[in-house]
Amino acid sequence: MMRINGETKVVGLMGDPVKHTLSPAMHNAAFKKLELNYRYLPFHVYEEELGQALEGVRAMQLRGINLTIPLKEKALDFLDHIDKQAGLIGAVNTVVNKCGQLYGYNTDGQGFLSSLELSGFSIENKNILIFGAGGAARGVSIPLAFEGAHKIVFINRTLSKADKLSRLISNIQLKKKVKSMSYLPSNTKAVERNVLEADLIINATPVGMNEEDGLPPGLIEDYLHSGQYIYDMIYSPQVTPLLEAARNKNAEFQNGLNMLILQGAEAFKLWTGENPPLEVMREVIT
Ligand code: NAP
């Protein structure tokens, strides 16, 4: 790896917590492979101090920063320029420092779309069902709407959040078919019908991360069938109960690892102008 010297450019991740992040390993391995004089560091930043931390990016001339929970939304208040899609999503996960001006982007959506593309799945005219209505659901559903999905349905524990997200998408894409529902027992039939009709089912909740977890609430294995594509945004564990169910039903599936790598790759390109070695990034985090 190139030695750190007076010309080393620094990038990193801000969040609270950052202890478990895989991003430093992934980016530093890519810098090493391409012999780029960069280093990626974790910075534990509390929400109340985000403004000061971003001033620090400017003052210390860091090249850029990734942002994670809980800073992605608040960052919009402190940046000089916000990319259109990041503005619509209302969250920034990548900041680029261009001569003291901070530019905000959201690479999660692009990472997600590229991971589907890699597996040969086309979004055009597809029925999409998303479990969850938090940051991850918002980050992928807006790009999906722009990419020509036929219909998007949100199923969420808190109905008001799903309603808000579907309103947002309907406002951006006026003709888009968007629906929101909770998984209350009174909705069982509607949930079943929408799962059966879905071409792509996405888990954008953390349900499946813990050992005692099952399928996203409302979902029953028998609703899944071959011909569907099941996407779990969780990357640890690599096989969640949802993906096991997909395998049992001969549906296609993938976990969140490719998305993690590809959203990182987009940030890497924004900072360095170079295409990162994806296989090297994958090797160090699996
Ligand atoms: P978030 O903003 O906190 O949203 C969490 C969503 O999950 C909300 O809709 C929440 O419902 C729902 N939820 C949480 N616990 C639940 C439970 N026990 N039962 C039912 N629903 C539950 O989090 P996020 O940023 O969207 O992240 C969601 C998941 O995506 C996480 O597992 C994260 O690791 C993953 N992710 C992966 C990548 C990647 O690169 N692969 C990127 C981003 C996120 P309520 O609205 O009712 O609270």
Side-chain angles (χ1 to χ4, degrees):
M1 188 150 193
M2 279 190 84
R3 277 175 192 276
I4 292 178
N5 59 24
E7 289 180 309
T8 302
K9 294 190 177 72
V10 177
V11 293
L13 172 73
M14 292 180 183
D16 175 25
V18 285
K19 215 160 62 184
H20 302 292
T21 175
L22 299 174
S23 295
M26 195 166 81
H27 283 279
N28 287 322
F31 293 145
K32 183 176 175 190
K33 179 74 180 176
L34 297 188
E35 295 185 12
L36 294 175
N37 193 2
Y38 279 78
R39 286 294 192 282
Y40 189 109
L41 301 171
F43 298 105
H44 188 176
V45 172
Y46 299 115
E47 199 171 355
E48 317 79 81
E49 285 165 349
L50 177 61
Q52 282 165 273
L54 288 171
E55 268 312 307
V57 169
R58 240 191 284 266
M60 295 192 289
Q61 299 184 31
L62 270 56
R63 175 65 182 137
I65 278 293
N66 278 144
L67 296 163
T68 188
I69 288 173
L71 310 176
K72 290 184 184 185
E73 287 85 13
K74 201 167 180 205
L76 273 81
D77 298 342
F78 301 106
L79 302 174
D80 303 301
H81 306 273
I82 316 263
D83 166 71
K84 187 174 167 219
Q85 205 154 98
L88 290 173
I89 294 168
V92 163
N93 78 334
T94 302
V95 174
V96 184
N97 182 1
K98 299 182 192 174
C99 305
Q101 294 278 299
L102 300 186
Y103 289 71
Y105 302 87
N106 193 311
T107 67
D108 280 337
Q110 190 50 50
F112 174 80
L113 293 178
S114 305
S115 68
L116 275 180
E117 212 173 283
L118 266 184
S119 67
F121 185 91
S122 157
I123 288 146
E124 196 68 34
N125 286 325
K126 295 294 192 323
N127 290 332
I128 297 172
L129 183 138
I130 303 178
F131 283 93
R138 204 169 57 218
V140 301
S141 57
I142 291 173
L144 280 170
F146 275 106
E147 285 295 308
H150 173 65
K151 179 176 161 190
I152 302 179
V153 178
F154 296 98
I155 299 184
N156 196 42
R157 180 172 60 182
T158 310
L159 181 60
S160 58
K161 280 215 236 164
D163 285 345
K164 197 169 158 200
L165 192 43
S166 48
R167 266 199 309 276
L168 177 69
I169 291 180
S170 313
N171 287 341
I172 307 170
Q173 294 264 332
L174 292 176
K175 282 193 231 142
K176 192 64 55 192
K177 283 192 180 174
V178 198
K179 249 192 187 167
S180 44
M181 60 183 77
S182 72
Y183 48 78
L184 290 174
S186 55
N187 280 343
T188 306
K189 276 280 152 215
V191 170
E192 178 180 357
R193 195 175 53 249
N194 280 286
V195 174
L196 286 171
E197 282 173 11
D199 301 301
L200 171 64
I201 297 173
I202 302 164
N203 179 27
T205 78
V207 179
M209 289 179 87
N210 298 315
E211 248 174 53
E212 64 276 16
D213 285 350
L215 300 178
L219 185 59
I220 289 172
E221 181 171 314
D222 277 344
Y223 297 168
L224 304 179
H225 53 86
S226 67
Q228 288 182 316
Y229 198 105
I230 315 297
Y231 196 117
D232 202 325
M233 288 175 62
I234 294 171
Y235 48 83
S236 176
Q238 291 192 26
V239 183
T240 58
L242 174 60
L243 298 189
E244 261 166 34
R247 187 154 54 196
N248 293 341
K249 293 292 174 181
N250 293 319
E252 279 189 78
F253 59 89
Q254 75 167 296
N255 63 24
L257 263 183
N258 278 337
M259 176 178 172
L260 178 74
I261 294 166
L262 293 164
Q263 63 76 27
E266 289 299 317
F268 189 101
K269 277 188 231 168
L270 287 167
W271 295 325
T272 66
E274 305 276 346
N275 283 316
L278 297 178
E279 279 319 307
V280 170
M281 292 169 104
R282 176 188 309 281
E283 228 166 73
V284 294
I285 63 169
T286 51

